[in-house]
Amino acid sequence: MSNSGLWVGVLTALTALGASYITARATSRATLAQARTTTRAQAVREQRERRRATYREMMSCTHAFNEVTWQIDEVDAAPDREGRDRLLTQMCERIAPAIGEMNKATHEVRLDGPAEVSDAAEEVRQKARRVQPRLKALIGDGRPEPRHEYDAAYQEFREAYLTFIHLARRALEVNDEEG
């Protein structure tokens, strides 16, 4: 009988050790999975914040460009050709640096992506560059055609910018699959 008690004791101890080992492994796996999830969530959060900052810079540069182009209303209100040409010349002087800053911001968006937003930022930049020569063409020319070309180029720029904003916002939305 005493042999039987010893075996029961040994079997109970081995069962406890086995259960402890299985529990430790499960706990270890759960801890590792939790660490991976936390690390992934932090990486996604950091990427989102980096993108948000980059997209904001692009939007800020686009706004600076718009501040120049919005002066066309002042040009329209100028009482004479000389006043209009002076304002147009000032706009031309300010638009080049605004496009230069937009170029830098576009390159930053290319780095942070995603590709869809990067392509949209490039489209904004290209459309802004198309506005510039059409603005210059207005100096000294009172015909309606150059103004229509300027307005059309600006409208294309504006549409590209709205597309960029839409795609940037979508890229920043929380995706349930990521977290």
Side-chain angles (χ1 to χ4, degrees), residues 18-36:
S20 175
Y21 172 76
I22 290 170
T23 302
R25 281 187 54 133
T27 301
S28 174
R29 285 184 182 152
T31 302
L32 184 59
Q34 179 63 37
R36 285 182 183 145

Side-chain angles (χ1 to χ4, degrees), residues 36-162:
R36 285 182 183 145
T37 301
T38 301
T39 301
R40 175 72 177 133
Q42 183 177 357
V44 167
R45 186 173 39 255
E46 288 172 2
Q47 178 187 53
R48 190 172 292 121
E49 289 306 314
R50 192 175 54 250
R51 283 180 175 173
R52 179 176 283 124
T54 301
Y55 299 165
R56 279 187 179 151
E57 179 62 22
M58 179 67 181
M59 292 171 71
S60 175
C61 291
T62 302
H63 183 74
F65 176 85
N66 273 324
E67 284 180 343
V68 175
T69 60
W70 292 334
Q71 288 181 309
I72 199 72
D73 292 336
E74 293 174 32
V75 170
D76 292 341
D80 57 19
R81 180 81 251 159
E82 184 179 301
R84 284 191 291 273
D85 286 347
R86 186 178 66 256
L87 288 170
L88 287 167
T89 300
Q90 290 171 356
M91 288 174 68
C92 286
E93 290 169 356
R94 291 183 56 217
I95 205 165
I99 291 174
E101 290 302 313
M102 194 183 302
N103 288 339
K104 290 180 199 173
T106 301
H107 296 310
E108 290 298 317
V109 172
R110 279 190 194 132
L111 290 175
D112 285 328
E116 185 176 56
V117 178
S118 175
D119 293 345
E122 177 61 24
E123 187 70 13
V124 170
R125 183 178 81 86
Q126 290 298 330
K127 297 297 183 183
R129 292 179 67 202
R130 290 190 63 217
V131 170
Q132 185 178 18
R134 283 154 182 82
L135 177 64
K136 258 185 179 171
L138 295 175
I139 298 173
D141 193 337
R143 295 174 304 136
E145 293 83 14
R147 177 56 190 266
H148 292 310
E149 290 174 9
Y150 169 84
D151 289 342
Y154 179 79
Q155 186 59 38
E156 289 174 3
F157 159 79
R158 182 77 179 146
E159 289 169 9
Y161 179 55
L162 293 175

